[in-house]
Amino acid sequence: MPINIGAWFAPAKRECPICGRDSRPTAVPIPVKNSAPRKALASLCGSCLQNIPWIANPVCRVCGRAELCEDCVRRTERFYTISRCAVRYTDEMKNWLALYKYRGNEGVETILAAMAAFAFERLRAADPQAHFPFITAVPLAPERLRERGFNQAERLAVRLAQWYGMTYEPLLLRLRHTEKQSLKTRRSRVVDMKGNFAAAHRSSFSGNILVLDDVYTTGSTLDECARVLLQASEPQSEHRIYGLLWARS
């Protein structure tokens, strides 16, 4: 049998963690500066990388939405400072998130975290004076956590903490399970979130706190988390709460 010596020196085939196709080097630009998330995004095939709907130029300067945001216009009181989102929540992005949340695909976890890194770098650019020593995540209700086995927001936050030299702290508790927020009216979402979170402990941290979640719909979840964290702060502490979202609906 003839031996194909060339195959010994050929680069090993890499499968795209999203679609499974061959992920050869591509000229598609990767809009992240940090080398670790850049490397993760480079593992995607050109097609998947090309199809990421990055929010590079947000229209709403508060929540980072790619279009005018009526929720931010109507909100009379806001407890978080600003937030930024990595991508628009398209049907394709819903499928990517489902691969991770419902199938536990760890390869997808790294990709989603790398995408969230784009939002983090955009957040720092939007407020250059802000520093982020601490990052936390929106918690799941205990029954949802038992059902899924992990909190996707927490895992993404831990990854970002490692990449950007932050400290991850589980600062929040979720007190009750709520139905899917995307199926509710804006008013129902606001009412549902009121009183749904508590501080895990009284915070004596000084500096800003970054709150990470997977999808931003109306901002009710993020704002309630920010309210609870500010309320739990020691009187002498100075906190500002920022939001970091993987996707913006």
Side-chain angles (χ1 to χ4, degrees):
M1 179 182 296
I3 299 175
N4 183 1
I5 297 178
W8 295 354
F9 302 98
K13 181 179 178 181
R14 297 189 310 169
E15 290 187 351
C16 174
I18 298 295
C19 69
R21 292 193 290 262
D22 189 6
S23 57
R24 299 171 187 242
T26 173
V28 178
I30 297 174
V32 178
K33 295 179 179 179
N34 187 293
S35 61
R38 279 185 66 86
K39 182 178 179 181
L41 290 169
S43 70
L44 294 171
C45 70
S47 178
C48 285
L49 191 56
Q50 183 72 51
N51 289 334
I52 296 177
W54 301 110
I55 301 179
N57 298 296
V59 173
C60 181
R61 299 301 174 184
V62 176
C63 74
R65 193 180 188 191
E67 299 84 25
L68 181 66
C69 177
E70 294 183 2
D71 291 314
C72 288
V73 171
R74 288 184 296 204
R75 184 170 280 120
T76 57
E77 185 178 29
R78 188 178 73 252
F79 295 97
Y80 73 92
T81 301
I82 60 172
S83 66
R84 285 296 177 266
C85 310
V87 297
R88 298 191 307 277
Y89 198 37
T90 61
D91 287 340
E92 185 163 11
M93 293 300 99
K94 291 177 184 178
N95 291 335
W96 287 25
L97 184 59
L99 280 174
Y100 178 45
K101 286 173 69 170
Y102 306 120
R103 299 186 189 177
N105 188 321
E106 291 188 7
V108 178
E109 177 183 295
T110 306
I111 297 301
L112 300 189
M115 292 163 72
F118 171 74
F120 178 67
E121 293 182 2
R122 299 299 295 176
L123 184 63
R124 290 197 302 189
D127 193 345
Q129 302 305 314
H131 298 283
F132 303 98
F134 301 104
I135 184 170
T136 194
V138 174
L140 293 177
E143 53 266 49
R144 182 62 62 81
L145 185 58
R146 286 193 297 270
E147 172 188 307
R148 188 173 300 157
F150 66 96
N151 177 359
Q152 70 279 357
E154 181 178 61
R155 287 196 178 181
L156 299 185
V158 169
R159 291 268 186 155
L160 286 171
Q162 294 169 344
W163 288 339
Y164 291 95
M166 296 179 282
T167 298
Y168 174 77
E169 291 283 349
L171 299 178
L172 292 159
L173 302 171
R174 196 169 196 134
L175 303 180
R176 65 178 186 273
H177 170 69
T178 54
E179 296 302 322
K180 226 178 160 184
Q181 296 301 297
S182 60
L183 304 176
K184 298 177 181 178
T185 64
R186 180 184 181 278
R187 179 171 177 77
S188 295
R189 290 168 184 158
V190 173
V191 171
D192 271 1
M193 287 301 111
K194 289 291 184 184
N196 196 20
F197 299 97
H201 49 77
R202 191 162 184 80
S203 173
S204 59
F205 301 130
S206 60
N208 302 321
I209 298 175
L210 192 59
V211 179
L212 187 144
D213 202 5
D214 51 5
V215 181
Y216 184 118
T217 304
T218 65
S220 301
T221 299
L222 173 60
D223 206 51
E224 181 64 8
C225 288
R227 185 189 69 79
V228 167
L229 289 173
L230 290 174
Q231 193 175 56
S233 299
E234 297 287 352
Q236 70 273 19
S237 300
E238 291 188 10
H239 289 320
R240 286 200 294 172
I241 312 299
Y242 290 78
L244 183 66
L245 294 304
W246 173 72
R248 180 65 167 90
S249 65

